[in-house]
Amino acid sequence: MTSLNRRDAWQLFFVLVLAAAVRCYRLGFASLWLDEALTIRIANLPLSELWVTPYDPTPPLYYTVIHFLLSFGHSETLLRMPSVLFGLLTIVMIYLATRKLAGATAAFAAALILALSFHNIEYSQEARAYALLGLCLSVSLLGLINLGLRWQDSCAGFTFRKFLGSGAALYAGGLIAALYTHNAAVFYWLCVQLFFLAWWIRPFKFSL
């Protein structure tokens, strides 16, 4: 974020304001539907059951977030607000990731498309794990891009600490969080392994 100039920062700010407006519009208008009600029921379980008992095929990270939120109330707006925040942070991550690869103009376009994406808006307006999954995967993607660009330049002096600082920590942390959020993260992990395998067999220009 510190490398953004004033113009980039204002563009990102504009996109986030627009994204927040469309995601908060009538956020609590509809009552909780079946899957959201199931989220509340599961989130009411003690943490020991959330993280041990096979109560649901979905991993427990999102349920844990809602578990702590329930002490502040049960309104539709309150329970959906974490998804709004996750959706906004996903836009920031995608902006930064795209800017690394293709520059500020492409980053602005990608962020704007995501901000107005029907599916991203829908997931950002419901008390389910999908918005958090998107955020975790976008954090992991940003780390992967940082790591790939550093790897492409040179591997000289690439200690484990520099390896983590170059993006591996973001990649791994985001991936682990995603795996604890939803089982669909496994497909992202498999795609990344295929990417690394292809790169190992025949190095190519990372930005492509």
Side-chain angles (χ1 to χ4, degrees):
M1 294 295 287
T2 57
S3 64
L4 298 183
N5 59 39
R6 181 175 295 183
R7 179 189 174 189
D8 297 340
W10 275 111
Q11 286 181 342
L12 181 57
F13 176 76
F14 165 76
V15 171
L16 290 177
V17 169
L18 177 63
V22 296
R23 282 157 179 75
C24 291
Y25 176 67
R26 304 182 80 182
L27 181 62
F29 176 76
S31 60
L32 299 176
W33 65 293
L34 179 61
D35 283 7
E36 289 180 307
L38 179 62
T39 295
I40 308 309
R41 178 183 178 184
I42 294 174
N44 270 302
L45 294 172
L47 290 180
S48 57
E49 292 188 42
L50 279 178
W51 286 85
V52 176
T53 307
Y55 54 86
D56 186 78
T58 304
L61 184 59
Y62 177 75
Y63 293 131
T64 302
V65 173
I66 300 301
H67 174 88
F68 289 107
L69 189 64
L70 287 174
S71 59
F72 297 97
H74 292 72
S75 72
E76 286 85 353
T77 300
L78 176 66
L79 295 174
R80 291 168 180 159
M81 189 55 66
S83 292
V84 173
L85 298 177
F86 297 147
L88 294 177
L89 289 174
T90 301
I91 294 172
V92 175
M93 294 298 108
I94 293 301
Y95 179 92
L96 295 176
T98 307
R99 192 174 185 273
K100 284 276 187 180
L101 285 180
T105 302
F108 175 69
L112 187 61
I113 290 171
L114 186 59
L116 299 177
S117 163
F118 174 80
H119 294 293
N120 191 268
I121 294 171
E122 183 177 8
Y123 288 145
S124 297
Q125 286 190 322
E126 64 177 22
R128 294 294 289 164
Y130 307 114
L132 177 57
L133 175 65
L135 172 60
C136 295
L137 293 180
S138 64
V139 169
S140 181
L141 177 64
L142 177 59
L144 180 64
I145 290 172
N146 286 335
L147 180 61
L149 291 174
R150 169 62 177 83
W151 213 335
Q152 180 177 264
D153 292 338
S154 173
C155 289
F158 211 17
T159 64
F160 183 68
R161 178 176 294 183
K162 290 182 178 180
F163 172 71
L164 292 177
S166 296
L170 272 182
Y171 161 68
L175 176 58
I176 292 171
L179 290 169
Y180 274 104
T181 300
H182 199 280
N183 296 322
V186 170
F187 295 104
Y188 168 83
W189 176 81
L190 288 173
C191 289
V192 171
Q193 305 317 302
L194 293 175
F195 165 79
F196 280 125
L197 178 62
W199 201 1
W200 176 67
I201 294 174
R202 182 168 182 172
F204 52 87
K205 189 175 180 182
F206 183 76
S207 61
L208 296 179

